[in-house]
């Protein structure tokens, strides 16, 4: 018996209403502003023909204030699964064209269903946030919905990768859902994220500010450190999601997508021999080293504009996906400060939880000296790096390019902090503290009596470097495993990584450690 025309027509009619969302006019308005609709965002995320929606026929709860006659197609959020590069991914996309993408009870239930599916199927989840926040008519029903989403974000953390795209407003408490995820990508124009907007700040504190200053992509990428990538527009945001996913496993039980060829053929890069300047105070760009090590120079930098004194990101070495962490000598001389410590520690923990080996490149003169740093808690923040590295059980390889001084060296994953292999270049300087500081303490009397104090200090510092900071001293004490020519770095790391692919390290059972936060 064939389906009756009435039933078939009814389905098509309902489908059309739901698929139209806010209607053609609202879609046109979006396009005029160079933006995609919620459905178009999912269309560009997933490979053609792979999207399976759930909740297309969702209806808002009509018992709420002023809602009885309202039509809210999909309840303002489109949810489902699809494939990216042949791998399944779950997603939701808030539809600003439908009551401002505001979050009501059913809207929240749909997002929760996407998150529940992600954890059940062991697949990453991508969320497009574009919403006026809690649906005011639904009051505490909406508030409760946010609570249910946050709760799931936390349950998913460390189980499946969670990626947020901020593609419109994301205001008030709503910003905490993206904040609980692993990566946030924000579009340069049309997106705002804040807890209290300029108007609230002015009325409560009298401070005058602008949305650009507190809630723009630029502010979050470079000042607050709340986001990881700036996208030029929606299409670029999706490109970044694709690139990010290409380095990540689907869940914490899987390996990341390595591209391992059976034969390891790596040629030396003589340019690396020339990179480090003769004068140890002259900076060099660590990105050049990273790009030389990453297969095809393909390096996805994370948080490029925040705490630029440390560089983090993903690449492959000899086909193996790795997370790079490197001091950046061109910014604040590569010192570790509060922001750099927070940035690197969280990245190390992400890599560890998703089985991504960590390659650490060291040129660190120490922690950044300063009253502000001490008063704002560099001890607590720097401790995060020690904690993150020492708790990480993934393969850890450390390359000492130049300075490796004091506690900051330990914070960059020395052998004592659990590195599986530490290699140094002949330019390495490894010591308990920097030469100038050590000399000023050890030779106070000699310096006071010297006629030319500057020349004497330099002479003693040079002597200290060659006598006490040479990598051969550390190699002699087995604190580093080898000293290599810079040009040999890639082949050395690639070989070590292959040898560590089946690394296993167990720790005493515990609920979780107590990382200094
Ligand atoms: C219900 C909402 C809404 C909301 C927008 N709309 N936000 N409806 N609840 N929160 C509706 C509008 O009424 C309008 O409906 C449509 O969405 C488009 O909104 P516009 O204002 O026309 O758009 P625009 O000019 O682009 O302004 C966007 C906006 C503004 C800046 C986001 O809409 C706004 O300020 N909204 C309210 C933001 C807010 O205060 N949210 C509640 C925060 S409390 P029509 O029918 O006219 O098209 C909160 C608590 C969360 O979120 C706690 C979590 C822990």
């Amino acid at each position: 018996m064939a389906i009756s025309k009435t039933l078939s027509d009814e389905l098509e009619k309902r489908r059309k209403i739901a698929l139209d969302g806010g209607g053609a006019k609202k879609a046109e308005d979006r396009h005029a502003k160079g933006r995609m609709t919620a459905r178009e965002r999912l269309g560009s995320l997933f490979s053609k023909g792979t999207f399976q929606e759930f909740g297309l026929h969702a209806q808002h709860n009509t018992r709420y204030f002023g809602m009885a006659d309202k039509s809210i197609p999909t309840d303002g959020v489109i949810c489902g699964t699809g494939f990216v590069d042949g791998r399944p991914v779950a997603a939701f996309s808030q539809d600003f064209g439908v009551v401002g993408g505001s979050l009501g009870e059913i809207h929240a239930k749909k997002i929760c269903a996407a998150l529940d599916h992600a954890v059940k199927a062991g697949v990453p989840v991508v969320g497009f946030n574009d919403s006026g926040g809690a649906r005011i008519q639904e009051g505490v029903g909406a508030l409760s919905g946010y609570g249910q989403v946050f709760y799931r974000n936390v349950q998913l953390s460390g189980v499946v990768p969670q990626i947020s795209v901020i593609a419109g407003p994301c205001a008030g408490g709503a910003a905490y859902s993206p904040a609980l995820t692993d990566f946030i990508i924000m579009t340069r124009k049309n997106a705002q994220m804040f807890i209290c907007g300029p108007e609230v700040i002015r009325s409560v504190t009298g401070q005058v500010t602008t949305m650009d200053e507190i809630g723009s992509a630029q502010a979050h990428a470079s000042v607050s450190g709340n986001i990881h990538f700036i996208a030029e527009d929606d299409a670029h945001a999706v490109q970044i999601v694709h690139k990010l996913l290409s380095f990540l496993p689907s869940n914490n039980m899987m390996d990341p997508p390595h591209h391992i060829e059976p034969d390891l053929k790596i040629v030396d890069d003589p340019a690396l021999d020339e990179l480090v300047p003769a004068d140890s105070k002259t900076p060099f760009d660590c990105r050049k080293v990273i790009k030389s090590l990453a297969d095809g120079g393909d390096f996805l930098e994370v948080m490029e504009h925040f705490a630029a004194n440390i560089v983090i990101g993903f690449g492959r070495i000899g086909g193996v996906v790795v997370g790079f962490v490197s001091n950046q000598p061109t910014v604040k001389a590569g010192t570790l400060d509060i922001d750099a410590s927070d940035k690197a520690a969280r990245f190390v923990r992400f890599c560890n939880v998703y089985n991504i080996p960590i390659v650490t490149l060291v040129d660190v003169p120490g922690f950044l000296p300063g009253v502000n740093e001490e008063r704002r808690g560099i001890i607590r923040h720097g401790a995060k790096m020690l904690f993150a590295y020492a708790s990480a059980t993934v393969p850890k390889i450390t390359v000492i390019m130049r300075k490796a001084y004091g506690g900051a060296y330990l914070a960059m994953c020395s052998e004592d902090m659990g590195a599986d292999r530490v290699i140094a270049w002949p330019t390495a300087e490894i010591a308990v503290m920097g030469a100038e500081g050590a000399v000023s303490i050890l030779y106070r009397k000699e310096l006071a009596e010297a006629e030319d104090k500057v020349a004497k200090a330099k002479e003693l510092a040079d002597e200290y470097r060659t006598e006490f900071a040479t990598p051969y001293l550390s190699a002699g004490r087995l604190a580093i495993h080898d000293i290599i020519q810079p040009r040999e770095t890639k082949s050395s790391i690639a070989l070590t990584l292959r040898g560590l692919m089946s690394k296993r390290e167990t720790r005493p059972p515990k609920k979780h450690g107590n990382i200094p936060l």
Side-chain angles (χ1 to χ4, degrees), residues 26 33 70 96 98-102 131-137 143 146 150 169 171-174 192:
K26 287 200 166 152
K33 290 183 186 147
K70 272 215 173 236
F96 194 83
V98 177
V99 280
S102 57
S131 164
R135 189 172 299 148
I136 294 161
Q137 298 91 326
L143 187 62
Y146 271 117
F150 297 172
Q192 310 87 33

Side-chain angles (χ1 to χ4, degrees), residues 161-237:
Q162 300 181 79
I163 299 173
S164 301
V165 178
I166 312 296
C170 185
Y176 283 111
S177 174
L180 290 167
T181 64
D182 297 301
F183 295 103
I184 304 182
I185 300 153
M186 192 165 169
T187 50
R188 192 181 289 285
K189 291 184 226 147
N190 304 315
Q192 310 87 33
M193 188 166 59
F194 53 89
I195 298 295
C196 298
E199 208 30 57
V200 173
I201 292 177
R202 194 194 52 75
S203 65
V204 176
T205 70
Q207 285 176 304
V208 177
T209 184
T210 61
M211 189 54 78
D212 267 359
E213 202 173 50
I214 59 156
S216 64
Q218 187 61 39
H220 285 306
S222 58
V223 183
S224 70
N226 283 330
I227 70 166
H228 302 82
F229 301 94
I230 300 185
E232 294 310 320
D233 54 22
D234 289 325
H236 185 213

